[in-house]
Amino acid sequence: MSEERSWEERRYAEVFAQVLRLLELRRVEDPHFTPTRLREFLQDAYFRQESDWIGHGLVFDITQAAIIAAYEQFLAAWEAEAEEV
């Protein structure tokens, strides 16, 4: 019997999947979207995650973690693909 995922796990998985879909679409449709630009997005996401002086809360933390993970995964795959060429 499989355990039901917690709301935190569901939130993370939903955000992660959404961000990956958006990145894939942007890569296809936006000629100005490059790995360099994605690295800038990633740096901004790290900054938002670390600027928690007012305490963003659990939902924010989960969302930011999923966004960062999606950016990192997409960037790594994109760079690996470029190395194969």
Side-chain angles (χ1 to χ4, degrees):
M1 182 163 155
S2 68
E3 291 183 36
E4 197 171 315
R5 293 189 323 184
S6 68
W7 71 266
E8 295 98 336
E9 292 169 322
R10 286 192 311 273
R11 173 68 181 168
Y12 183 97
E14 289 167 3
V15 171
F16 184 85
Q18 282 179 327
V19 171
L20 283 180
R21 280 192 302 274
L22 290 172
L23 291 170
E24 290 166 1
L25 184 61
R26 184 149 189 196
R27 183 176 175 194
V28 169
E29 294 184 352
D30 183 356
H32 302 289
F33 186 59
T34 63
T36 300
R37 186 70 179 123
L38 181 53
R39 277 189 219 87
E40 292 170 0
F41 289 171
L42 185 56
Q43 290 302 316
D44 289 343
Y46 287 139
F47 179 78
R48 279 191 308 277
Q49 186 179 46
E50 293 170 5
S51 333
D52 194 17
W53 62 273
I54 59 170
H56 292 117
L58 185 57
V59 173
F60 178 87
D61 293 342
I62 291 167
T63 301
Q64 282 306 117
I67 290 169
I68 288 170
Y71 285 175
E72 288 174 340
Q73 178 177 310
F74 194 85
L75 183 59
W78 198 351
E79 290 174 337
E81 179 184 308
E83 288 176 5
E84 291 176 3
V85 175

